[in-house]
Amino acid sequence: MADRGLKLYYSHNLNPRVAVAVARHLKAPVEFTRADPMGSDKHWFVPINPNTRVPVLVEGSHSLWETDAIAMRLAALTTPEFWPLEHAVEMMRWVSWSAHHFTQAGGTFYFENLIVRRYQFRPVDEQALLSAAEDFATHAKVLDDTLAKRDWLVGGKLSYADFRVATALPFAEAASIPLAGYGNIQRWHDRLLEIDAWREPFAGIA
Ligand SMILES: N[C@@H](CCC(=O)N[C@@H](CS)C(=O)NCC(=O)O)C(=O)O
């Protein structure tokens, strides 16, 4: 693939972690640039992402934000089977379910137990954690039951759906995400952790 001057802005948080893992797994020819979009880089970040969030994929004069859109673009450029268009509806189902249910719940543990505790800009919201625990239990059962019957979520092989649904799981231990008892999820995530790009997306970069 010709060098398109792709630049991926990232931090080590949940969503940019997924985008970096995708880029590395697909061996996309991106230049990785660590950024602090809500802090020291805010003044120049707004034009490339008015939401002041990472990840952002800059391609020439075009900037693309949202992890899912970036993953779709990188797959289209390098490895279309990672976002299989013949399974577009199933892909959409799991990407949406991750955002609205499973990673929504897991992300609350990440935010309250890691980010809020680290930066101490407010007390930990214990009510939010209780509510997330309830949601997590509901949705983890759905995923665990699904994974009882298959190794990967869509089309019988690894795809972006697996990366996206697993967004919060690399932080499960540190963020106290209540994964115990979901053996199928744990075995599936162990399979993901065998992939270098998923296990160590930031190896060798800032
Ligand atoms: N919906 C966006 C969410 C992006 C987002 O919330 N990014 C957070 C990290 S998870 C961020 O930029 N936080 C500031 C930082 O990491 O420096 C996506 O899926 O890409």
Side-chain angles (χ1 to χ4, degrees):
M1 204 188 100
D3 182 1
R4 293 170 180 262
L6 297 169
K7 215 169 197 187
L8 183 61
Y9 292 93
Y10 72 97
S11 73
H12 285 214
N13 286 323
L14 280 186
N15 290 293
R17 186 192 188 284
V18 173
V20 171
V22 169
R24 298 198 82 165
H25 180 61
L26 302 183
K27 298 188 173 35
V30 306
E31 182 190 328
F32 295 99
T33 304
R34 190 154 176 188
D36 180 14
M38 301 170 83
S40 58
D41 295 328
K42 192 169 180 173
H43 59 289
W44 62 263
F45 218 80
V46 173
I48 64 166
N49 184 358
N51 304 290
T52 59
R53 297 285 188 281
V54 275
V56 179
L57 180 69
V58 172
E59 198 173 340
S61 60
H62 182 254
S63 72
L64 181 64
W65 31 269
E66 290 301 308
T67 305
D68 299 330
I70 291 168
M72 195 171 198
R73 177 68 181 145
L74 292 178
L77 286 172
T78 63
T79 318
E81 56 272 28
F82 193 64
W83 193 305
L85 294 181
E86 74 271 29
H87 298 302
V89 172
E90 279 297 300
M91 291 296 293
M92 191 66 232
R93 181 223 294 260
W94 288 109
V95 167
S96 175
W97 183 80
S98 172
H100 297 292
H101 300 294
F102 191 64
T103 301
Q104 175 79 26
T108 300
F109 285 91
Y110 173 85
F111 193 73
E112 296 296 331
N113 286 337
L114 293 180
I115 304 295
V116 176
R117 283 185 210 280
R118 184 180 309 149
Y119 297 107
Q120 304 197 340
F121 46 85
R122 64 158 169 78
V124 169
D125 186 338
E126 300 294 346
Q127 194 50 50
L129 283 171
L130 283 175
S131 168
E134 237 177 76
D135 287 347
F136 190 83
T138 303
H139 303 304
K141 181 168 175 6
V142 172
L143 182 59
D144 203 66
D145 288 351
T146 300
L147 291 167
K149 293 165 253 152
R150 54 182 109 152
D151 281 350
W152 303 112
L153 289 173
V154 174
K157 42 185 192 180
L158 175 75
S159 73
Y160 178 66
D162 299 289
F163 275 30
R164 199 41 160 155
V165 170
T167 297
L169 299 188
F171 302 94
E173 202 179 321
S176 305
I177 297 175
L179 255 192
Y182 301 106
N184 298 316
I185 296 180
Q186 284 171 357
R187 283 185 286 280
W188 164 74
H189 196 237
D190 285 346
R191 288 193 285 283
L192 281 169
L193 289 171
E194 286 169 16
I195 299 165
D196 294 345
W198 185 255
R199 190 179 60 254
E200 292 188 305
F202 306 114
I205 59 173

